[in-house]
Amino acid sequence: MAGRFIEVEHLGKVYEAAAPGTPAALQGVSLGIDQGEFVAVMGPSGSGKSTFMNVVGLLDSPTSGAYRLNGKDVSGLTTDELAHVRNRVFGFVFQGFNLLKRISAAENVALPMVYSGAPGAERRRRSLELLAKVGLAPYADAMPNRLSGGQQQRVAIARALANHPQLILADEPTGNLDTQTSMEIMDFFTALNRETGVTILLVTHENDIAQYAGRLIRFKDGHVVHDGPVAHEKAAE
Ligand code: ADP
């Protein structure tokens, strides 16, 4: 039987640098995520959200438990295979946008395609296509510091989409944005999820932002304390 898209089992993480007696950052997390889901991850500061995202994003490895991606145990992947998955299967969006300041919006969007070896003309073509998709066609040759925060985050989203990822990992993507801009970004994620079926895993502190997701996973002290459909505020009880 084919496995789920993402499946973690009894995932544990103890940081080597942690002070003695500190509880483990992840303590036996088991869950699955299917292709096409839009999942919000919430929980207080220090509850393990970032650790979980880093493990799922293959930016860090767990100290115990199993992680299967498309049915394959990732602990068997080589460094090159891990880099390949991070570049081709995942797209990352961060709170601080993380754009390179000295290159244009289009060049930022093209970066993942440089690493994946696409020819220059193709990179340019796709960058422009992606910037148009996020509503920034006129800003292709603008430097990031000429763009507003919301525009910079749109560039970062276009960059995350460059290699047709199966999963978008977004860590507080609206954390630095005002309410109106946050709503626009979340509407974009929602449409993207519905139209392309890309899976989205999004960390947020805000209930209003989690409302856009279909499923909510809540962490506390390294445990999952809630996992279920988002209770939409307008839905009948
Ligand atoms: P959250 O994202 O929910 O704020 P984290 O995953 O960052 O939670 O942290 C979970 C726990 O792991 C906390 O106790 C935190 O102090 C600890 N922690 C996180 N990163 C590190 C690290 N690099 N070294 C040591 N301890 C860490």
Side-chain angles (χ1 to χ4, degrees):
M1 205 176 76
R4 302 181 77 172
F5 175 42
I6 285 168
E7 198 159 33
V8 298
E9 233 172 15
H10 309 302
L11 213 56
K13 176 71 181 181
V14 178
Y15 285 103
E16 275 175 30
T22 310
L26 293 178
Q27 309 195 39
V29 172
S30 300
L31 56 89
I33 297 171
D34 292 319
Q35 276 286 358
E37 283 199 82
F38 187 168
V39 183
V41 175
M42 296 191 82
S45 185
S47 59
K49 304 181 298 293
S50 304
T51 303
F52 176 72
M53 293 289 274
N54 288 343
V55 169
V56 171
L58 298 173
L59 300 167
D60 199 358
S61 43
T63 34
S64 57
Y67 172 15
R68 285 182 295 276
L69 178 65
N70 287 316
K72 191 172 174 187
D73 189 334
V74 301
S75 66
L77 299 180
T78 63
T79 310
D80 281 354
E81 287 168 335
L82 289 169
H84 178 88
V85 173
R86 282 192 297 262
N87 186 244
R88 303 300 291 270
V89 184
F90 298 161
F92 295 90
V93 178
F94 304 97
Q95 180 172 359
F97 323 133
N98 295 18
L99 300 178
L100 295 189
K101 292 187 174 63
R102 294 177 193 284
I103 61 175
S104 70
E107 287 166 329
N108 268 284
V109 175
L111 267 185
M113 296 181 270
V114 174
Y115 300 129
S116 65
E122 165 62 14
R123 296 201 301 263
R124 176 78 185 169
R125 189 198 62 73
R126 178 133 177 88
S127 301
L128 297 181
E129 177 186 296
L130 286 161
L131 284 170
K133 197 179 159 89
V134 297
L136 289 180
Y139 297 92
D141 296 314
M143 293 296 171
N145 64 3
R146 303 301 298 271
L147 303 175
S148 69
Q151 289 172 328
Q152 290 187 50
Q153 193 60 299
R154 285 169 186 269
V155 174
I157 292 169
R159 178 183 58 187
L161 294 172
N163 289 329
H164 305 279
Q166 291 176 32
L167 173 67
I168 301 280
L169 291 126
D171 195 353
E172 302 260 10
T174 61
N176 285 348
L177 303 175
D178 62 73
T179 305
Q180 177 61 34
T181 309
S182 298
M183 282 161 52
E184 288 165 17
I185 293 286
M186 293 311 298
D187 283 336
F188 184 81
F189 276 129
T190 305
L192 189 71
N193 171 254
R194 293 214 177 117
E195 289 161 18
T196 71
V198 68
T199 310
I200 300 177
L201 187 57
L202 173 142
V203 171
T204 181
H205 272 109
E206 294 171 74
N207 273 314
D208 290 356
I209 297 297
Q211 286 285 314
Y212 287 83
R215 172 177 170 192
L216 173 64
I217 299 175
R218 201 179 277 281
F219 280 81
K220 193 171 184 204
D221 299 329
H223 297 277
V224 170
V225 293
H226 169 90
D227 184 356
V230 168
H232 292 282
E233 274 160 8
K234 294 196 186 89
E237 286 293 340

